[in-house]
C-alpha cells in the first residue's frame, strides 16, 4: 500500500484556519475552558504548518507504517526535529526560540488533555501565547508567502494580561499545598525551556513576549504591576537590609570623572568612558 498523498497547500489552509480559530476563541474572555482550547488549536496549527513545510520540501511526514494499522503523520516533536534537521526555518525566524515556545505550550496542552490545569496558569501562559502568534505569522509568511494578517483584524490580537486570580496564593512559601506545587513544577519547566534556548544561542525573544513594567504607588494588589513574595527565614524572621545609596555610592558620574581626571595628568576622560571608570 502506497503512502497517501498530502498536499502542502491543504495543510497550510487548515493550519491557518486552526490559528484563526484559536485567536477568535481567545478573544472571547468569558468562554469557559478558553485558554485550554486556544492552546490546543495553536499546537494543532503548528503541527500542520510544520508538516506542510516538510511536504513542500518533499520530505516524508509519516512514521513507518505498522502492519494492520493506519498511517500516522508526525507529531509536534518529530515535526520540529525534522524541520530543524532539514534547515527549513525561514532566515528571520530562530528555530531554537520558536521550539522552546512551542514546547511550553505543548506542556500546557498535555496538562489539559490528560488531567486539568490549575486555575491561573492561563495568565502565566499569556506571554507565550502572544509571541507564538507572531512566530507563526513569520513562519508561514517566510515559507508559504501567506500573511496571517490578511485573514484577520490584526487589532483583535490579545493586547492585555491580568495577574492570576490568586496571585498571592501562588507565591506562598508552603509548597505542601497541591496547587502551589503544581504551579511551581510548571513554572520550573517554562524556565528550563527559556534557559535551554538561551544556552543553545537561540533568540529568547521568540520564546515569550516581555513587558516593560511601569512601577506606581498603589494600595490594591489588583492594581499592582508586579507582585513580589518574601519567604521568611527558618526562625520565622524576615531579613531586612537597609542601606542609603547616597552613603554607599556618594558620587555622581560627573564627580567620579572629575576625581579620576584629577588623578590623571594625561588624557581627559569624557562621559563616553564612564563605564570603564565607574
Amino acid at each position: 500500500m502506497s503512502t497517501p498523498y498530502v498536499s502542502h497547500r491543504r495543510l497550510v489552509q487548515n493550519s491557518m484556519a486552526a490559528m484563526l480559530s484559536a485567536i477568535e476563541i481567545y478573544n472571547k474572555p468569558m468562554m469557559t475552558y478558553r485558554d485550554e482550547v486556544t492552546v490546543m488549536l495553536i499546537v494543532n496549527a503548528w503541527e500542520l504548518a510544520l508538516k506542510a513545510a516538510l511536504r513542500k520540501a518533499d520530505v516524508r511526514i509519516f512514521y513507518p507504517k505498522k502492519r494492520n494499522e493506519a498511517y500516522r503523520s508526525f507529531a509536534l516533536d518529530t515535526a520540529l526535529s525534522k524541520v530543524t534537521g532539514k534547515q527549513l526555518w525561514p532566515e528571520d525566524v530562530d528555530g531554537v526560540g520558536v521550539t522552546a515556545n512551542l514546547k511550553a505550550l505543548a506542556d500546557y496542552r498535555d496538562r489539559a488533555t490528560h488531567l486539568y490545569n490549575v486555575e491561573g496558569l492561563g495568565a502565566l501562559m499569556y506571554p507565550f501565547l502572544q509571541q507564538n502568534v507572531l512566530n507563526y505569522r513569520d513562519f508561514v509568511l517566510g515559507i508559504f508567502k501567506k500573511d496571517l494578517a490578511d485573514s484577520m483584524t490584526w487589532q483583535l490580537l490579545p493586547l492585555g494580561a491580568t495577574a492570576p486570580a490568586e496571585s498571592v496564593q501562588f507565591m506562598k512559601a508552603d509548597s505542601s499545598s497541591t496547587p502551589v506545587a503544581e504551579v511551581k513544577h510548571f513554572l520550573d519547566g517554562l524556565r528550563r525551556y527559556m534557559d535551554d534556548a538561551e544556552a543553545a544561542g537561540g533568540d529568547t525573544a521568540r520564546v515569550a513576549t516581555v513587558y516593560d513594567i511601569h512601577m506606581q504607588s498603589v494600595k490594591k494588589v489588583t492594581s499592582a504591576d508586579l507582585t513580589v513574595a518574601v519567604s521568611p527565614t527558618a526562625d520565622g524572621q524576615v531579613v531586612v537590609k537597609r542601606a542609603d545609596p547616597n552613603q554607599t555610592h556618594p558620587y555622581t558620574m560627573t564627580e567620579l570623572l572629575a576625581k579620576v581626571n584629577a588623578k590623571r595628568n594625561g588624557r581627559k576622560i569624557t562621559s563616553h568612558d564612564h563605564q570603564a571608570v565607574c
Side-chain angles (χ1 to χ4, degrees):
M1 183 177 179
S2 60
T3 304
Y5 171 76
V6 179
S7 167
H8 80 267
R9 293 181 179 82
R10 182 64 180 273
L11 288 172
V12 173
Q13 179 183 348
N14 289 349
S15 173
M16 293 185 69
M19 181 59 75
L20 291 168
S21 297
I23 295 171
E24 175 70 15
I25 288 173
Y26 194 88
N27 283 308
K28 297 182 182 300
M30 299 306 294
M31 175 182 172
T32 303
Y33 216 57
R34 179 192 67 162
D35 297 326
E36 290 83 352
V37 173
T38 297
V39 173
M40 290 177 189
L41 285 169
I42 284 179
V43 173
N44 178 242
W46 271 101
E47 288 180 340
L48 293 169
L50 292 167
K51 284 183 278 194
L54 292 171
R55 282 293 303 122
K56 188 172 185 291
D58 292 326
V59 178
R60 180 186 176 91
I61 62 171
F62 292 95
Y63 294 111
K65 188 180 183 304
K66 295 183 179 180
R67 185 178 181 86
N68 298 324
E69 291 186 9
Y71 281 101
R72 291 193 309 116
S73 64
F74 292 155
L76 179 66
D77 286 345
T78 304
L80 280 169
S81 65
K82 291 288 186 180
V83 167
T84 298
K86 298 294 182 179
Q87 299 182 341
L88 299 179
W89 293 104
E91 184 177 350
D92 61 343
V93 176
D94 178 68
V96 175
V98 173
T99 297
N101 174 282
L102 276 169
K103 286 183 177 294
L105 293 186
D107 279 356
Y108 182 89
R109 177 202 61 178
D110 292 344
R111 292 172 64 93
T113 301
H114 299 295
L115 191 60
Y116 59 87
N117 282 315
V118 178
E119 182 182 358
L121 281 185
L124 297 175
M125 291 304 299
Y126 174 82
F128 293 83
L129 284 170
Q130 187 178 45
Q131 186 57 50
N132 184 277
V133 174
L134 300 178
N135 292 345
Y136 177 88
R137 185 258 186 180
D138 293 343
F139 179 80
V140 173
L141 181 62
I143 295 183
F144 306 107
K145 310 304 178 188
K146 291 183 177 294
D147 193 341
L148 186 70
D150 293 337
S151 304
M152 61 181 293
T153 303
W154 198 244
Q155 290 84 352
L156 288 181
L157 274 175
L159 295 178
T162 58
E166 297 293 337
S167 57
V168 176
Q169 173 71 17
F170 282 160
M171 294 183 296
K172 282 187 176 179
D174 181 10
S175 60
S176 62
S177 174
T178 301
V180 175
E182 290 183 13
V183 171
K184 182 181 183 303
H185 177 73
F186 186 70
L187 286 176
D188 287 344
L190 297 185
R191 294 190 189 98
R192 184 173 63 254
Y193 287 131
M194 298 190 77
D195 290 344
D196 290 347
E198 185 174 15
D203 181 5
T204 55
R206 285 285 181 183
V207 183
T209 300
V210 179
Y211 299 93
D212 290 330
I213 296 177
H214 305 284
M215 303 300 293
Q216 298 181 18
S217 177
V218 295
K219 295 182 178 180
K220 296 181 179 180
V221 169
T222 54
S223 300
D225 287 318
L226 183 66
T227 307
V228 179
V230 179
S231 299
T233 59
D235 58 2
Q237 300 297 317
V238 175
V239 177
V240 179
K241 182 178 180 181
R242 294 186 176 89
D244 184 352
N246 295 312
Q247 298 297 324
T248 57
H249 300 79
Y251 301 115
T252 65
M253 182 186 72
T254 302
E255 291 171 331
L256 283 172
L257 289 171
K259 284 181 174 293
V260 172
N261 283 322
K263 295 287 186 182
R264 306 240 336 239
N265 296 322
R267 182 177 68 88
K268 183 177 180 181
I269 299 176
T270 67
S271 60
H272 296 293
D273 303 310
H274 77 277
Q275 287 185 341
V277 299
C278 293

